[in-house]
């Protein structure tokens, strides 16, 4: 069952500021995950390294999707971007 969101939250997520905030959050998550990968590689534990890399993939995908939305907004409406 899907949860209903308030109108302001829906507008913030779809707005330029909301997308920029989401992108910033995704970037910070990727940075933190990359540190985890470096630590795992430092211990020469292949399983931990693979786990850390696999954990980064959805974060990178999320950041790419948000970036694509921001670029699409800029292309659709260049005078307000």
């Amino acid at each position: 069952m899907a949860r209903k969101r308030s109108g302001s939250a829906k507008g913030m997520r779809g707005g330029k500021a909301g997308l920029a905030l989401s992108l910033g959050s995704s970037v910070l998550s990727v940075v933190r995950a990359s540190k985890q990968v470096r630590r795992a590689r430092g211990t020469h534990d292949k399983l931990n390294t693979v786990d850390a890399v696999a954990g980064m993939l959805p974060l990178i995908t999320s950041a790419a999707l948000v970036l694509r939305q921001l670029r699409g907004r800029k292309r659709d409406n260049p005078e307000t971007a």
Side-chain angles (χ1 to χ4, degrees):
M1 175 182 241
R3 294 176 62 175
K4 292 185 179 183
R5 294 186 177 185
S6 68
S8 63
K10 193 180 285 185
M12 181 65 169
R13 192 182 85 219
K16 188 175 179 181
L19 288 173
L21 185 64
S22 180
L23 180 62
S25 170
S26 294
V27 168
L28 286 175
S29 297
V30 168
V31 168
R32 194 169 70 201
S34 66
K35 287 181 182 180
Q36 183 182 359
V37 169
R38 275 185 271 158
R39 269 186 304 220
R41 289 188 72 199
T43 62
H44 303 291
D45 186 352
K46 289 182 182 180
L47 189 57
N48 274 340
T49 303
V50 170
D51 182 47
V53 169
M56 277 183 69
L57 295 177
L59 299 173
I60 293 170
T61 303
S62 171
L65 288 172
V66 171
L67 190 60
R68 183 175 69 180
Q69 284 182 334
L70 282 172
R71 286 183 179 166
R73 284 180 174 268
K74 188 181 279 188
R75 223 176 290 132
D76 290 343
N77 205 359
E79 65 274 357
T80 61

